[in-house]
Amino acid sequence: MIQFKMLSDLLGDRFTTDIFERQFYAGDLAPLPKIFSLFFKSTPDAITRPINTKEVSEIMKFAYSNRIPVTPRAAGSSGIYSCVPTMGGIVIDIKSLDYKIEIDKNANKVVVHAGVVWKDLEHELNKKGLSLMAYPSSAPSSTVGGWLSSPGCGIGTLKYGRVYGQVLSIEVVLPNGEIMKVSKDEERFNWFLGSDGTTGIITEVELMIRKIPEALSAHLLKIDDQETLCKVLQDVAKLKPFYLSYSDQIYTKMLKEAGKESHTDSKYMTFVVFDGSKKEVTESVNKLENIVTNNSVKEAPRQIAMDEWEDNLHFYPMRIKRAGPTLLAGDILIPLKNISVAIEKLKKLGIEFGIEGTVPLHDYTVLMPMYLTDERKFLEFVFSLRHVKSMNDIAISVGGMPYGVGMWNLPFASRIIDTKEKRRIKKQLDPKNIMNPDKHTHAVSLMPRIILNPLIFSAAMLAAGIVAIPMKIAGIIKN
Ligand SMILES: Cc1cc2nc3c(=O)[nH]c(=O)nc-3n(C[C@H](O)[C@H](O)[C@H](O)COP(=O)(O)OP(=O)(O)OC[C@H]3O[C@@H](n4cnc5c(N)ncnc54)[C@H](O)[C@@H]3O)c2cc1C
């Protein structure tokens, strides 16, 4: 039995071991069959809600000296189990660290607590005529620290580059409780960004910002075939718009079921948003018009596109869960030029999936094939999970990779990150392996080590695929 008296003295009612509260931290956005709770201790032993760096440091010192696993969790909007414990221990709820937003208008920068939600930060900046250079599509709920611990592609990154490049410095609490400020020109800066919270806890971030752009122009393009979609996306990406996304008719149907009417009737829709100076935007729009003409593509009335941007169409994937009962989605990074090949391969999986994708880098797209299942039907749900692995395999087969590691993509980790180098850093910073164990580079506890071993994982998924065939024929499962 762990003695938490020190933490309850430190944090008062911002510390709890109440089971009702703890169970909310035992999962993330991706639903899982209950049977998985037999494999991991995903319910933490205690929840802490620090409000400043000093408190985070004290919690870490306590955990480090007692060898207690610590999982940082912010909004929990990632679906790869990256913020879910596997060995119980302490969860540090980063969302309580959201007091500081210090804007330096003259220097175009802001110092912000890691728990601040991106959309709230943008709102505060807008009040002063300023704006973020990038934010994730999950901005209505996800936090500054959460996105910096993820792969860092999103809205604005096609124009300005991955968000990591906009960070001037970070304050981190190391696993042993030491507080460290690291600026972008130091080598160790990269030890913490995109690390799934396995090397330390980001508490504060100094971020470059920009003035609200003088002009903005939104465009909805209607496209009727895959090849043209692929060509148009590559051409438009070269113009470096602030936002570029695409979706298909099934996704549009899901949106409709989630309560969002669509204005397009074509097979694919592409959403393009330019911003910048009036001159810059006018030039980009002229070039877009050429692309539209050269590819015989239709454009929806511009006012509709503008209304969709103002109505936050780019945040709608957050709401599509409502189309349920249960939504599962792949999240794969693939070379832009191979979208068409990837879609063809996905079709061969034989499931009805909707496509939503963004182009956050000039030569790569993040594709989210989404499909509906029903977690209330045990077999149906368990067997439908194998398609996520198939989607990752498809990404790799076309020169891409799963987007992010977390825990579920550990079998693919060596395809996504430099695992050897990351393990070296991990060993140096966290020799007791207490920081978010079983994530990012390797599994440490027994069951994840077995289940997520690449060979065992592949064999299990292959077996599931074989067993699924007669079950589908017999009508026991749908997908
Ligand atoms: C609809 C939708 C759209 C999305 N769009 C994007 C997108 O555009 N780009 C993208 O990259 N992802 C996207 N995601 C995935 C996810 O939302 C992002 O990764 C998100 O930024 C995570 O932030 P969070 O606050 O929810 O962090 P969490 O999910 O709570 O945590 C994510 C990881 O970061 C760690 N962590 C959290 N805070 C800290 C901290 N302060 N210090 C150290 N480690 C920490 C956690 O342990 C975990 O490993 C999307 C998800 C959804 C559902």
Side-chain angles (χ1 to χ4, degrees):
M1 180 69 188
I2 307 169
Q3 296 301 322
F4 287 119
K5 185 170 177 323
M6 180 264 161
L7 293 183
S8 87
D9 288 348
L10 175 77
L11 301 168
D13 63 1
R14 290 180 287 107
F15 167 86
T16 182
T17 54
D18 181 86
I19 181 62
F20 181 73
E21 287 195 53
R22 283 189 286 131
Q23 69 192 1
F24 289 107
Y25 293 78
D28 64 5
L29 215 64
L32 267 188
K34 295 238 175 325
I35 193 168
F36 280 88
S37 58
L38 299 175
F39 302 143
F40 320 109
K41 193 178 170 201
S42 52
T43 305
D45 296 296
I47 311 296
T48 57
R49 300 191 175 100
I51 52 169
N52 55 45
T53 307
K54 177 100 182 57
E55 286 185 354
V56 175
S57 165
E58 291 303 320
I59 298 165
M60 287 313 308
K61 280 180 191 161
F62 172 80
Y64 194 73
S65 57
N66 291 287
R67 275 189 181 264
I68 301 170
V70 174
T71 309
R73 181 188 178 104
S77 69
S78 41
I80 46 179
Y81 233 58
S82 56
C83 62
V84 183
T86 54
M87 303 162 80
I90 299 168
V91 160
I92 300 192
D93 188 336
I94 305 290
K95 282 196 84 176
S96 55
L97 205 64
D98 68 344
Y99 289 92
K100 192 187 270 188
I101 301 183
E102 283 174 7
I103 302 170
D104 184 341
K105 197 169 175 175
N106 295 328
N108 271 343
K109 64 180 190 181
V110 61
V111 177
V112 61
H113 261 157
V116 171
V117 169
W118 284 101
K119 203 168 176 219
D120 297 342
L121 177 57
E122 176 70 354
H123 184 68
E124 288 306 311
L125 292 173
N126 287 173
K127 284 186 200 164
K128 295 195 182 309
L130 299 164
S131 177
L132 289 162
M133 294 162 87
Y135 45 85
S137 313
S138 50
S141 66
S142 73
T143 64
V144 170
W147 193 34
L148 293 185
S149 306
S150 311
C153 297
I155 299 169
T157 58
L158 177 56
K159 182 166 182 176
Y160 293 106
R162 255 179 219 237
V163 67
Y164 308 154
Q166 293 143 39
V167 179
L168 298 167
S169 69
I170 48 174
E171 181 189 70
V172 213
V173 176
L174 299 186
N176 65 5
E178 188 189 329
I179 301 168
M180 191 191 258
K181 188 162 178 192
V182 192
S183 74
K184 68 172 188 177
D185 21 69
E186 292 178 66
E187 195 198 328
R188 55 189 184 171
F189 186 65
N190 296 317
W191 295 358
F192 305 100
L193 300 179
S195 294
D196 284 327
T198 53
T199 48
I201 297 196
I202 301 169
T203 44
E204 267 184 36
V205 180
E206 189 185 9
L207 206 58
M208 282 158 65
I209 48 176
R210 59 178 185 158
K211 297 208 163 47
I212 290 184
E214 190 186 11
L216 186 140
S217 186
H219 307 262
L220 281 171
L221 310 185
K222 302 173 178 195
I223 299 176
D224 279 320
D225 66 278
Q226 243 165 256
E227 295 306 322
T228 311
L229 173 76
C230 187
K231 167 94 175 38
V232 167
L233 287 175
Q234 288 179 81
D235 290 350
V236 178
K238 287 187 191 127
L239 306 180
K240 296 205 168 176
F242 183 64
Y243 181 62
L244 175 56
S245 72
Y246 54 97
S247 53
D248 71 354
Q249 270 176 330
I250 300 178
Y251 175 79
T252 306
K253 200 174 100 195
M254 288 174 171
L255 269 185
K256 205 169 170 187
E257 280 158 20
K260 169 78 185 151
E261 278 306 323
S262 164
H263 297 280
T264 59
D265 40 14
S266 56
K267 204 161 172 201
Y268 296 101
M269 182 190 82
T270 300
F271 197 16
V272 192
V273 177
F274 297 105
D275 69 6
S277 68
K278 276 186 190 154
K279 182 171 175 283
E280 193 186 342
V281 171
T282 307
E283 278 171 12
S284 299
V285 172
N286 289 341
K287 287 180 188 159
L288 182 75
E289 283 167 355
N290 286 338
I291 294 172
V292 166
T293 311
N294 295 342
N295 290 284
S296 309
V297 165
K298 290 197 190 88
E299 185 180 349
R302 293 209 176 141
Q303 190 53 49
I304 291 180
M306 206 59 193
D307 291 347
E308 292 287 32
W309 179 252
E310 276 159 16
D311 189 32
N312 293 326
L313 181 65
H314 47 304
F315 293 145
Y316 263 85
M318 285 302 280
R319 302 192 206 173
I320 212 158
K321 262 175 94 76
R322 289 182 203 161
T326 307
L327 180 78
L328 288 177
D331 202 1
I332 49 182
L333 188 73
I334 55 174
L336 194 49
K337 63 179 188 320
N338 291 342
I339 290 189
S340 192
V341 191
I343 295 177
E344 276 313 308
K345 290 193 171 198
L346 286 166
K347 281 182 187 161
K348 291 194 181 131
L349 292 178
I351 46 170
E352 186 179 78
F353 60 89
I355 281 184
E356 200 272 339
T358 55
V359 184
L361 301 170
H362 77 277
D363 48 1
Y364 276 89
T365 171
V366 175
L367 181 61
M368 281 178 87
M370 304 183 189
Y371 58 104
L372 295 173
T373 176
D374 190 343
E375 63 197 284
R376 296 165 303 184
K377 296 177 184 160
F378 179 74
L379 286 175
E380 176 74 43
F381 183 42
V382 169
F383 277 91
S384 67
L385 289 170
R386 75 191 190 284
H387 298 305
V388 177
K389 149 90 167 67
S390 306
M391 289 171 182
N392 287 343
D393 289 338
I394 289 172
I396 289 167
S397 74
V398 299
M401 62 186 86
Y403 183 74
V405 188
M407 188 183 88
W408 286 127
N409 288 335
L410 272 181
F412 303 92
S414 60
R415 304 265 186 176
I416 309 171
I417 50 169
D418 180 350
T419 39
K420 215 170 147 198
E421 173 63 2
K422 295 273 182 184
R423 282 175 88 142
R424 186 189 66 77
I425 294 161
K426 172 84 176 159
K427 214 168 167 186
Q428 188 177 327
L429 293 176
D430 186 16
K432 294 186 184 174
N433 223 328
I434 60 157
M435 264 321 312
N436 212 0
D438 295 328
K439 317 285 159 58
H440 202 57
T441 46
H442 60 293
V444 277
S445 57
L446 185 65
M447 285 313 279
R449 251 174 39 214
I450 297 172
I451 299 168
L452 300 169
N453 173 290
L455 287 176
I456 297 174
F457 188 72
S458 292
M461 291 295 154
L462 183 69
I466 294 168
V467 176
I469 298 169
M471 291 178 75
K472 261 172 100 168
I473 296 169
I476 300 169
I477 59 171
K478 241 181 21 207
N479 285 312

